[in-house]
Each structure stands twice: as structure tokens, then as C-alpha cells.
């Protein structure tokens, strides 16, 4: 079997907050966007049932001396390409987004208690936005996931 399955997949460098992931993160591990207050653009190991963004393509080892301050960089193979879109509302980093009025996007909640419904989603926000108004509309980058999420 070929090991070149990620040859044309988009790759992005993220940070690993060593205070959160003190053991580092290995290669070929599923990750999601983190929420560290000390390290920007961070990722953490993705748990079961959590919405990840891709798999690591490199290894992030903790410091040899056991110091867990600061961060290290890690390369992640994203699940899908990214796109710049206009945000209609406040959107948190890592939130699922879907279509909104005027071609914008807004946060979506996938309600797992309503199994007969679907929610139109178009991606995962790779950065946060503040609410758009008529005078200022913020653009954000999302990882595209054009689909309906069954709940």
C-alpha cells in the first residue's frame, strides 16, 4: 500500500501548547483546533466524537528537560481545502459554520437530540470573527465541508 495518500492534501503549520499537551503530539494523530489562551493557532489531540480538522504529518516532541512552557510547531494535513468567507455573526474558532443571509456564514449547532433533522454546514472556522454589520463585515478562513450534517 502506498504511503503517499496525502500527496495533494492541503497542509498547514499549527502550534502545540506544551502546557496543554505536555507529552507532545505524535505523527498520524487526529487533531482538532485548540483553545489555548497562551498560544495562538494551536491544535490538540481529537477525542472520540469530536470534530477534527485533520491528521498530523510530523511529530511534536516535548522538551528534553521536561519544561512545558511555550509551544512547538506541528504540520497538519487538513481534511479539506480552505476558503475565505464573510461572517454574518460572532463565530468562535473551531465552530461549525453554515449558510446565512446575503451569502455570509454563521455558527451552526448540531443538535444530536433531533435525529430526524439535518443541518446545512459548509465548514469549520479556522479563526474567530466579531459580528458583521452593514459598515464592517469580517472575513474569516474556514476549512470547507460542504454537506448536510445528519443528527
Amino acid at each position: 500500500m502506498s504511503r503517499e495518500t496525502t500527496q495533494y492534501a492541503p497542509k498547514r503549520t499549527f502550534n502545540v501548547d506544551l502546557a496543554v499537551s505536555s507529552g507532545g503530539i505524535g505523527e498520524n494523530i487526529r487533531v482538532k483546533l485548540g483553545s489555548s489562551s497562551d498560544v495562538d493557532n494551536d491544535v490538540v489531540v481529537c477525542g472520540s466524537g469530536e470534530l477534527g480538522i485533520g491528521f498530523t504529518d510530523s511529530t511534536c516532541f516535548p522538551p528534553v528537560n521536561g519544561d512545558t512552557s511555550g509551544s512547538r510547531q506541528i504540520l497538519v494535513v487538513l481534511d479539506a481545502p480552505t476558503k475565505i468567507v464573510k461572517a454574518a455573526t460572532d463565530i468562535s474558532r473551531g465552530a461549525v459554520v453554515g449558510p446565512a443571509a446575503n451569502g455570509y456564514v454563521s455558527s451552526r449547532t448540531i443538535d444530536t437530540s433531533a435525529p430526524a433533522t439535518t443541518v446545512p454546514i459548509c465548514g469549520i472556522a479556522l479563526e474567530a470573527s466579531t459580528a458583521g454589520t452593514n459598515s464592517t463585515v469580517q472575513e474569516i478562513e474556514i476549512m470547507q465541508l460542504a454537506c448536510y450534517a445528519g443528527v
Side-chain angles (χ1 to χ4, degrees):
M1 173 170 43
S2 173
R3 301 277 300 181
E4 300 300 320
T5 56
T6 62
Q7 185 174 1
Y8 300 108
K11 296 181 182 181
R12 173 81 49 91
T13 301
F14 290 91
N15 295 313
V16 175
D17 184 349
L18 295 176
V20 175
S21 302
S22 59
I25 298 177
E27 188 175 7
N28 301 321
I29 302 293
R30 186 123 179 100
V31 292
K32 66 178 183 171
L33 294 173
S35 58
S36 172
S37 58
D38 297 326
V39 175
D40 290 333
N41 196 32
D42 67 314
V43 292
V44 295
V45 173
C46 189
S48 174
E50 293 181 311
L51 190 57
I53 60 164
F55 290 87
T56 58
D57 195 44
S58 62
T59 301
C60 166
F61 291 109
V64 176
N65 63 5
D67 180 15
T68 58
S69 62
S71 66
R72 295 278 177 100
Q73 291 188 329
I74 194 165
L75 189 63
V76 175
V77 178
L78 298 176
D79 288 339
T82 65
K83 178 78 178 160
I84 303 297
V85 297
K86 292 186 177 184
T89 59
D90 287 349
I91 297 174
S92 301
R93 184 174 179 266
V96 174
V97 296
N102 299 321
Y104 296 177
V105 298
S106 61
S107 293
R108 290 285 180 254
T109 301
I110 299 175
D111 183 1
T112 57
S113 67
T117 63
T118 58
V119 178
I121 63 172
C122 56
I124 299 172
L126 295 179
E127 56 190 339
S129 77
T130 54
T133 64
N134 290 336
S135 60
T136 60
V137 174
Q138 191 166 6
E139 293 183 339
I140 62 169
E141 184 178 19
I142 67 168
M143 184 179 71
Q144 294 178 255
L145 300 173
C147 65
Y148 282 82
V151 294

